[in-house]
Amino acid sequence: YKPAWNQTLYDQAHTLTQLDEHWYNTTFANMRIRGAIQYAIATGTAYLMETWDRHYWGPYKGDIRMSVIAPSDVTFVQLPRDHDIQRAYAVIIREELPINLAKSAYADLDSGRFAAQLTPDHNAPGWLQKGLRKMQQFVSPALRVAGRQQQQQGAFPTVDIFHMYTMDLSLNDSSVARTMGVKDTNWSYAVPSLNDPIATDIINPATGNYFTRPAGREDCLLFPMRRYTIFSRTAAGYDGSSPYWHGDVPLARLRFGDWAWEALGQAPISDLKSIQDGIIAIMRGVEDSIAARLDPPYLYDDQLVDASWAKAFNPRRAGSRAAAPRQQGKVIEFPVEPETYNVPAYIPEWINAQEERMDYMAGVKDLVAMAKARQIPGADTLEKLMEMAGPLVRDNVRALEEPLQRCGEWRKALYFQFYTKSRMLTVTGPAGVAVDVQYTPDKLVPLVEREDPAQRVARAKGYLTDFRYHITESGISEFNRMSDKLLFIQLSKIGFPISWWTL
């Protein structure tokens, strides 16, 4: 995190960065990011969602939860032409939960009435069955070889919970002000009536009071942070203001192989699958040819020997012995020449060519070259690495930057909003630096004397635009970051003035 405009906020930005690193390490966010990459590789699209879970570490011990959402669980209403999620009229996110877990997780909504009205939508969880079907193609043959039958998996009921974020532009055009949000929370707010007088930041020197102005449309929005609805197919649990100060749909999209005219990306493996299916078909043909060479088909004279004799005689088994009347002619005959089953020399060459084509299309060669080059020390190693990172690798890395940057901006807002309630934790210093910093909420929002809670909340919201979350270009591979470090070190050695913040 870096200050956007106010250069006196270095210490708070540094605290935010340490806080974010602590969250990343303790919640194992890298596992969620890996899950999103897996979805994006397999389906072309994945979503990362960041929400506040007030029971993350146990009852009423909250933290930021990053979740991976499949593309099939997200529905858009009136998505604009540029496919920007934040500009859609409504975004609906489906959450499939076991019925008992759903009743427990949403027991507080609508005084328990929502949980009581939940009924199962599915007899078996779709996500579990999908995983089982994927595994059965690998597991079932092994079980059949072992002579065992696969046991039927038991099913348990699940229910779909929907979370909808709506860009509702309704105004308070009544004659009285309205209070929105959940009472006694930091997202509860008052909405003035249209044209009601509201205070400005300018003080009237004659009276010592603030000047007022009539409330405009932007001041009277009932849902300035979006409308948020939680519902199932049988009941509605919540319909009110979104609880998040950032006012966005907390959903960041990761796409590989995206097209300008499509909202969803194309799976990088989709073009490779047909090639892989062809290679597998050829390899199975080679296996069949080898098996036929070892145990070739043959004809037997049923006037000389019976079927049991023919079945007992196995040319593949060494040392096979069988008695037959040879003086009356051939007992068995091989109708196909053995050379028929020879594998042509061009088959392995064709397979290798196809696999090289797949490696090229997937960028594997670039990745392998980069991995080898990192082991070669030299002054121009970094430049070589950047040259080896071809366009496919660069594009895949850049595709990660947008969702990660959005998630970082949302975490910033969540830190200011929810990490300010008597929360203290130990934040470690950078890697290799044995420094423990005790974080307190006052480090982010310093205390001001005679300030009431509402004023402190307003001041904390004002900090949201003072900081920006930055991701180094191609920062995942750390190449540019290392190159910049070496440059700054060289400049500092010759006495070039560089701020400590830059270093």
Side-chain angles (χ1 to χ4, degrees):
Y1 290 97
K2 296 181 181 181
W5 311 105
N6 190 348
Q7 301 303 307
T8 64
L9 299 177
Y10 281 140
D11 291 339
Q12 286 160 279
H14 190 57
T15 299
L16 268 177
T17 302
Q18 288 182 308
L19 200 62
D20 197 58
E21 184 176 1
H22 178 272
W23 171 86
Y24 188 90
N25 292 330
T26 56
T27 62
F28 298 98
N30 61 297
M31 303 295 288
R32 311 287 86 74
I33 296 174
R34 186 181 70 171
I37 294 174
Q38 291 172 340
Y39 262 117
I41 289 176
T43 66
T45 307
Y47 298 95
L48 285 171
M49 184 171 69
E50 281 188 341
T51 55
W52 178 258
D53 184 351
R54 59 176 179 165
H55 305 307
Y56 188 93
W57 300 108
Y60 302 100
K61 296 178 182 178
D63 211 334
I64 301 170
R65 178 178 296 278
M66 175 182 281
S67 306
V68 182
I69 308 295
S72 57
D73 292 332
V74 179
T75 302
F76 301 102
V77 180
Q78 298 184 23
L79 188 68
R81 188 174 182 178
D82 61 0
H83 312 305
D84 187 355
I85 297 174
Q86 305 304 325
R87 296 178 59 199
Y89 172 71
V91 179
I92 305 173
I93 305 166
R94 184 180 74 98
E95 179 186 23
E96 184 182 358
L97 293 174
I99 184 67
N100 289 328
L101 177 59
K103 288 179 177 290
S104 173
Y106 296 98
D108 297 338
L109 290 185
D110 196 18
S111 302
R113 288 186 290 269
F114 176 68
Q117 296 180 65
L118 290 178
T119 58
D121 293 322
H122 315 281
N123 291 326
W127 45 268
L128 182 59
Q129 292 299 326
K130 185 184 298 182
L132 287 176
R133 285 195 298 269
K134 291 292 185 183
M135 289 299 297
Q136 282 173 356
Q137 59 181 317
F138 304 106
V139 176
S140 297
L143 295 180
R144 286 196 295 268
V145 170
R148 294 175 294 173
Q149 293 183 351
Q150 188 175 9
Q151 296 182 355
Q152 185 68 26
Q153 295 290 333
F156 56 89
T158 63
V159 61
D160 291 336
I161 306 295
F162 299 94
H163 304 258
M164 183 167 68
Y165 295 84
T166 308
M167 191 181 294
D168 193 329
L169 302 180
S170 300
L171 300 176
N172 181 18
D173 52 4
S174 65
S175 58
V176 295
R178 295 182 58 179
T179 300
M180 302 296 294
V182 180
K183 186 180 179 181
D184 298 328
T185 61
N186 57 14
W187 66 87
S188 177
Y189 54 93
V191 181
S193 178
L194 196 62
N195 296 322
D196 275 358
I198 58 175
T200 64
D201 296 333
I202 305 174
I203 298 178
N204 186 346
T207 62
N209 298 325
Y210 288 98
F211 281 110
T212 62
R213 63 174 178 83
R217 297 180 60 88
E218 67 279 1
D219 304 310
C220 302
L221 292 173
L222 291 175
F223 305 101
M225 298 183 295
R226 275 188 169 82
R227 186 172 187 165
Y228 178 43
T229 311
I230 303 175
F231 62 96
S232 70
R233 290 185 171 89
T234 57
Y238 175 80
D239 184 20
S241 175
S242 171
Y244 302 122
W245 287 357
H246 53 66
D248 288 341
V249 179
L251 203 66
R253 180 173 51 204
L254 168 60
R255 293 184 297 176
F256 292 138
D258 55 305
W259 297 93
W261 52 87
E262 292 287 347
L264 303 179
Q266 181 182 3
I269 63 174
S270 60
D271 293 332
L272 309 180
K273 187 177 184 302
S274 59
I275 301 178
Q276 180 68 21
D277 291 343
I279 293 176
I280 292 175
I282 294 175
M283 288 182 171
R284 286 174 176 168
V286 172
E287 290 179 350
D288 293 341
S289 177
I290 294 174
R293 186 71 184 256
L294 295 174
D295 190 3
Y298 61 85
L299 304 175
Y300 68 92
D301 191 338
D302 58 358
Q303 300 299 322
L304 301 179
V305 295
D306 57 16
S308 60
W309 181 94
K311 292 180 179 179
F313 180 72
N314 186 0
R316 181 174 182 176
R317 190 172 57 217
S320 293
R321 303 289 188 273
R326 293 289 309 278
Q327 68 276 9
Q328 299 184 26
K330 289 184 177 181
V331 178
I332 62 173
E333 183 176 356
F334 296 96
V336 181
E337 294 295 330
E339 290 75 13
T340 304
Y341 304 111
N342 291 341
V343 178
Y346 68 83
I347 293 296
E349 296 177 359
W350 172 254
I351 293 177
N352 291 334
Q354 291 291 78
E355 290 180 341
E356 288 183 4
R357 187 175 290 109
M358 293 174 63
D359 290 344
Y360 173 78
M361 295 171 64
V364 173
K365 291 187 175 181
D366 292 343
L367 291 172
V368 172
M370 290 159 59
K372 291 181 178 179
R374 294 187 69 170
Q375 304 172 7
I376 305 174
D380 58 345
T381 299
L382 292 175
E383 287 72 15
K384 293 290 186 182
L385 288 172
M386 293 306 298
E387 292 175 2
M388 294 175 181
L392 291 177
V393 174
R394 286 176 177 267
D395 186 66
N396 287 338
V397 172
R398 293 302 300 272
L400 272 169
E401 294 177 7
E402 180 185 4
L404 293 183
Q405 195 273 340
R406 285 187 179 272
C407 289
E409 288 291 326
W410 296 332
R411 287 199 302 276
K412 173 191 66 176
L414 295 174
Y415 292 145
F416 279 106
Q417 182 176 1
F418 295 106
Y419 273 39
T420 55
K421 294 184 177 180
S422 303
R423 186 185 185 95
M424 296 184 65
L425 50 91
T426 299
V427 179
T428 59
V433 180
V435 177
D436 286 343
V437 179
Q438 193 71 26
Y439 164 76
T440 59
D442 300 341
K443 289 193 174 184
L444 283 184
V445 185
L447 292 175
V448 174
E449 292 185 8
R450 302 176 181 177
E451 185 180 49
D452 59 41
Q455 291 173 327
R456 181 176 174 83
V457 166
R459 190 159 54 88
K461 288 183 179 180
Y463 278 118
L464 298 184
T465 58
D466 287 334
F467 302 95
R468 291 288 184 272
Y469 187 75
H470 292 266
I471 294 181
T472 305
E473 182 181 354
S474 299
I476 303 296
S477 53
E478 295 289 330
F479 296 151
N480 284 359
R481 188 188 299 259
M482 183 61 67
S483 181
D484 291 342
K485 283 182 180 180
L486 295 177
L487 173 63
F488 291 150
I489 290 174
Q490 293 298 326
L491 291 175
S492 62
K493 284 183 177 180
I494 64 175
F496 190 86
I498 301 177
S499 70
W500 69 268
W501 179 258
T502 302
L503 290 177

